[in-house]
Structure formats: C-alpha cells, structure tokens
Amino acid sequence: MDRFVKKIKLSNDVDANVNDNNLNLEINIKQSTSISDTSLNLKVKRKYTDGYLCFGFTWNGDTDCPLPVCIVCGEKLSNEAMVPSKLKRHLTTKHPGESLKTRLYFERLLNSNKRAASSMIKRVTISDKALEASFKVAELIAKNMNSHVIGEKLIGPACLIMVETLLGKESKDVISKVPLSNNTISRRINEMANDINDIVLEKIKNQKLFSLQIDESTDRTSKAQLLGFCRFVDNSNIVEQFLFCKELKSTTTGKDIFDVVNIFFEKSGLSWNYCCGVCTDGAPSMTGKYKGFVTLAKIKNPAMIITHCFIHREALVAKTLGEKMLKVLNDVIKIVNYIKSRPLKTRIFETICKEMGSDHIHLLLHTEVRWLSRGQVFNRVIELKEELELFFEKENLPVYKNFFRSENWCYILAYLADVFKKLNDLNASMQGRQETIISSTNKIRGFKNKIVFWKSSIIKGDFSNFPTFSKLTIGKYNIKELQQLIIEHLTLLEEKIEHYFPSLTTSADWVVLPFDFTDNMNELDLTNEEKNEFIDMCSSSTIRILFNSQKSNIDSFWLNLASEYPSISRKAILLLLPFSTSYLCEQAFSALNNIKTSSRNRLKNVEPDLCLAVSTVSPRIEELCKKYQSQISH
C-alpha cells in the first residue's frame, strides 16, 4: 500500500534557480506550515523578493502576507501566486511584448507609476481644497447678499487675474479648479443654511426654553414673507438666532401665520410648552382677540409672555401732535416734496448749499413707516433754514418763503426738531440685539419721568431742555402762549405713553438689581420657594462678589446660579428670554430687500440666502466637505 502513497518532504528553505535571458537569480522562499491533528493542511505565506521585479511584479498589502501586483497592468494576484513560474506565466501570457524586457525596464516603469500616483494624490488634494474654497466663497456671497452668478462672472475671473499677475501661470491653474458656477453656489448656500438650521435647533432642544420674534411683510414681488427669530440659552449666554423665513401662499390671517409656525415646530421637533414668550407688532392678524396669532399660540401655552413691540408702540406715541404742530409738520413735508420731487430744483438747491458752505446739500424725505423719519426731517430743515429761505426767494415763491419769516412757525419747528430728536434717541436705544423687556421698560419709564421734569421746567420759563428752541430769541410771539402749547403737547405725549404702555412696573427689576430688593420681598411676584432661594442668594457674600464682577452680563450671572439656586434662576431666565422688540425681523426685512432686488425678483426661495446673511452661527464647512466627492472646475 505504501508504494501508492506520494510522500511530501517539508522544509523551511527552498532553493530555486531561475534562468531568464542568461540572468541567474537565486531566490530564497521561506515557507511555513501548520498541520492539524486530524488532517494535513499546508498553509504557505510567501515573501516578496527583489528578484520578482524581473518578471514585472511588485507587491502590495500586508508585510506578513504580501500580494504580487503586476507593474504593467496593475492586476493583483493571490499570495499563493508568489512563485517564479506563476509570475513568469502571467507576464508571457498577458504581456508577451514585455516578456523579453530587462529588470531596468520594469524599474523605470515602476518609478513612472509611482510618479503618476503621486500626481493623482496631489490632484485629489487640490480638489479637496477647491471644494472647501467653493463653500467659503459661497458663504461670502450670501453674507454680502450678492447674486449667485457673481462668483462665476466676477470673483473667479478677478482671482485668476490677480494670482496670474502676482504668482504666475501655475498658480492660476490651481485657482481655476475652484467651482464657482451659479448652480454650484446655490447648492453650497442651501447646504450651509440647512447646517446652520440644524445647529440652532440642536442647541434649542438641548436647553429647551426659547422665545420667538415673529413679523410678516411683503417683498418686492408682493409675496408675503413670514420671518421668525428665536432667543435661547447657549452655554453661559443668551443668544439670538434666525429661525425661518416662510412664504404665505394666499391670505395672511392669524390662523395662516399660526399654521405655518406650528408646522415648522412639528417638523423641527420643537414644543410650544417650552416657548416662554412671543413678540409681534400690533397688526390685527397678530394680536386679534379671537383669531390672532398670539391668541392661538396662547391656547398651546397659556403661560407664555406676549409682547407688543416696544419700538412700534413708541412710534405710535411719537405720532401724537396737536393741531398747530400738525400744520407745521405738513408745511415741512410740502417744502421737502417741492424740492425733492423735481430733479431740476434739487440740483439748484444743491448748488446753493455748496456755495454757502453747508454741511449738508440734500433734504430728507418723510416716510411714515420709518421710525426715525420725522426727527431727521425736522433737524435737516433747521440746519438748512437759511439755504431754504434763499432758494425760495430766488424761485419767487412767497408762500414757502413766508414760513421761515413767521416767528410762530419757526418756534414750533424748532421745538418739534428738539422733541423728535429726543423721541428718536429713545427709539434708537431700544434697537439692537440683547434688548430685554426689563431694559426697554426702564427706558420708557425714564422717558415718562423726563416729560414730567420738562413740563415743570417749561412752567418756570426754562427752555434749556430744548436747545434748538432755546437759541431762538422770543420776540413778539407771546411766551405764555408758547409755554401753553408745549405743555399741552408734552401732556398729550404722557397720556399716550400711559395708553400704549399701561404696565410700566418695577416688579422685574430684581433681575438686574437683586440686592436692592432684600427688604421689599412682598413686592416681588415670586413663590415661597423662589423667595427662600432669593434670600439665601442675597445673603451670600460670594454671590455678591460674583454679581459685581458680572454686572455687564446679567445673563451669565443667573445662568451660573442654575445648579445652586434652580428655582430663582429659572424665574430670572424666563424674564430675560422674551423679546421686547421686533428689531431683528425689521433688520431681516431690509436684508431681504437687498437680496431680492428688482434684477433678482424671480428668486423663489430666499430663506437660505437670508439665513446666511443675518445669522451669527458659522456653518460647519469641513464637515460638509466630507459628505461630498471633490469635483474640480473644468
């Protein structure tokens, strides 16, 4: 039976002699074997040697188990094929034209392949950088509210010219690989806007509490756009961010607005239960008693704070004028419109202003919808009073010229310029970010107290609170009649403030001045648990030191106390989160007009561009680049 059995001799070293084109090579191949107890299994891990380069093979893979790779075609064989006979058979059968080539030929071919691979890696690297640059350029375009085609038509060519001029043609070829087409920029802006939205929503869900600022207006194409901003806690600060811009397809009733916001909440995973405040303007669709947006929102969360924009209410107060003062306002509007509505008259008036060395050469138009319009118009007319009088004298218009020669008219104009400057200063102080209900209430209350002081001064004959008016010399016009006219107007302003701001209480001042209310606990609208925490907090000397060091950032002060005094801290945050004005929405509408210009009126979706333009959150560009395969411009 033994003669039929083929015996296999196992050894660790096998010597092989290969003769190829009179070239003798000695190849040492180490083999390892493993034999199981039940059967004989031969497993050989063959090693690569430099001699295999004569057959046109290099290696790839793990060093313990290398795989032969053909230099000519790039085919990868198994480890078992790492023997001279199999490598030579591959070369002669698949590449007969290279079978007679020498080792030097294959070395040159291998080096050439390595250089090509290195070039490809470099090209891919440039492509990755070009993708990142494309995102950053798209972000820059959106933040500056430019058209998407500006990348392809202006930014790209300008960069090529500058780089070629300064760095040479090679650098120009690199810059030209950045994709900046119209469609590419649009996609980049959409992706970054979605990323910003994800970041904001994630932060809101982590902290839960937030407040809303909602406003609706029409764009250049008469489409109704609903804007929303949110305020929430981010780490140790309270921040404000853009939330959405949605088009109202047909009607703009309170229910339509509520449905849009409610659908956005459902898709985004936000809950009305955590919405602690909503700020809107005074439009019926927003504040309607039965079907207004805030009424429907109150059904979802009765505890939320509803705020009518302080700036809008202050603008309504500023419209309060008596009969005589209203006549002067109308006269000023006629004067301005006569010049501004006629290009020839505008140029003539501009020439007069230049000849007289005036600081200004143009009048300002009065616009009802602009908060600061009246005060700016009055002040400009006062500054150009002499120029206007000379202009109407040359134009031979005695009706307009006599306005400036009437003491009565000039006194009222000077007073209006002063009082509207004060109203404008109040209005401007409530504009901007981080304005809270507490700070706005204090400013309105302070202005109301000023009116009382001004009235008492006017009664005493002291007009120094109105500098423009006090510079005029009181002539034939009865000073008592002037006093009575001004007092009547200031009284009317005071009544309107009472009407539009019915609750100017100090019940929330403990948030900004906590240590001033330790002796007046009964005045605070707090529960017993909150009062106990408030007393403990005010009794701590370390808390007092912390408050003195963070007076400029009251948000951080209360947020840092959340773990030690959770109840009173939460109460303070609920008072700091609600918006007091719709300033951010008004600012965004101005940005919307810059984005959707007359030349871009067919822009269908403005939300991504607006998001990048007004948001303070930066998109995660590096993360976005990882999601896409790099495609260089060609």
Side-chain angles (χ1 to χ4, degrees), residues 26 50 85 87 99 294 346 399 543 574 625:
E26 183 176 336
D50 291 339
S85 58
L87 300 181
S99 60
V294 295
T346 301
V399 175
I543 299 300
L574 287 174
C625 290

Side-chain angles (χ1 to χ4, degrees), residues 602-614:
R602 295 179 65 185
L603 188 63
K604 294 182 179 179
N605 186 14
V606 297
E607 184 176 27
D609 291 79
L610 188 62
C611 176
L612 285 173
V614 302

Side-chain angles (χ1 to χ4, degrees), residues 332 336 377-385 388 404 413:
V332 170
V336 173
V377 170
F378 282 127
N379 280 288
R380 184 60 60 86
V381 170
I382 286 289
E383 292 174 359
L384 298 177
K385 178 176 175 294
L388 286 169
F404 298 98
L413 175 63

